[in-house]
Amino acid sequence: MPRVALFTTCLVDGLFPDVGRATVRLLERLGQPVDFPLEQTCCGQMHTNSGYFATDLVRRYVRVFAGYDAVVVPSGSCTGSIRHQHAQIARAAGDERLAAQAEAVAARTYELSEFLIDVLGVEDVGAYFPHRVAYHPTCHSLRIARVGDRPLRLLRNVRGIELAELPHWDQCCGFGGTFAMKNPDVSAAMLADKMEEVIETGTEVLCAGDRSCLMHIGGGLERVRAGVRTLHLAEILASTESGHRASKRAPRAAVLR
């Protein structure tokens, strides 16, 4: 049994902890124990994309996760950053030893769908989610982490699900981290296009592997009262039939907690 750690990402840890809990619940249901090292912090993507090479964050990631056989990340964006930026940051600082260490740990770092399919060899995780769902493949998961169709392969095996194809599915939602702050007008226009396409599908739920993009799209959908929920891939894959029955029986206050 490989020794596995969860790198929860700072966004999930700070704003969307249900994604981290769902990831652990899913992996444990599949028989894979998961550690959560408390020393972990940001991967440094925001800093790097803004021109600040945070060598200390690379060094911390290496130190915290070097002893694990695999690191699971519920984010294609952060996975891509760890794989493609950490060694570059170390080399830019002239620290070849740290660069080699960063490459070694990055090679054992997996986006969630990669770990499920490539490491555990599972495409049917035993999930149950009787809703109409559209999947948005985020830019970094497609073009940097290169997760391909793995999330869709997992979703297709969810019992009860109805998958709606998103028009222009490979187009950016306009978030891009600091891009949305530096280019708000362009970001808003891209978001408007994405929202229109989501609404056109008649979907109940928009799913993605990055909570940052879902936060961006979901905020827009809430403002126009579109009635579309956003859920991370882990939250759908962690859903079970018994969990749905329990949520229906629970009082509304308990469900909201």
Side-chain angles (χ1 to χ4, degrees), residues 36 66 158 167 200:
F36 180 75
V158 173
E200 283 177 359

Side-chain angles (χ1 to χ4, degrees), residues 7 9-11 40-61 77-78 81-82 85-86 88-89 140 176-179 181-182:
F7 177 59
T9 80
C10 52
L11 186 72
Q40 64 181 278
T41 186
C42 180
C43 68
Q45 179 180 183
M46 295 181 293
H47 309 69
T48 305
N49 292 349
S50 298
Y52 301 98
F53 282 17
T55 311
D56 288 348
L57 291 177
V58 176
R59 188 171 288 108
R60 177 184 283 266
Y61 186 86
S77 184
C78 294
S81 174
I82 292 161
Q85 293 179 340
H86 278 193
Q88 293 177 13
I89 293 167
H140 287 177
T178 55
F179 173 86
M181 291 180 278
K182 294 176 180 177

Side-chain angles (χ1 to χ4, degrees), residues 7-13 40-46 48-49 61 71-86 105-106 109-112 114 138-142 144-147 175 177 209-213 232:
F7 177 59
T8 192
T9 80
C10 52
L11 186 72
V12 167
D13 188 46
Q40 64 181 278
T41 186
C42 180
C43 68
Q45 179 180 183
M46 295 181 293
T48 305
N49 292 349
Y61 186 86
V71 184
V72 179
V73 188
S75 165
S77 184
C78 294
T79 301
S81 174
I82 292 161
R83 288 181 186 164
H84 294 276
Q85 293 179 340
H86 278 193
V105 179
T109 298
Y110 300 88
E111 184 270 342
L112 175 60
E114 291 179 319
T138 63
C139 295
H140 287 177
S141 67
L142 274 181
I144 301 179
R146 297 185 182 277
V147 303
F175 180 64
D210 278 286
R211 205 58 188 83
S212 52
C213 297
H232 189 278

Side-chain angles (χ1 to χ4, degrees), residues 32 57 61 64 67 122 144 161 172-173 195 216 220-221 231 255:
Q32 176 59 64
L57 291 177
Y61 186 86
V64 171
V122 176
I144 301 179
I161 200 168
C172 180
C173 70
M195 286 167 49
H216 183 60
L221 292 170
L231 286 175
V255 172

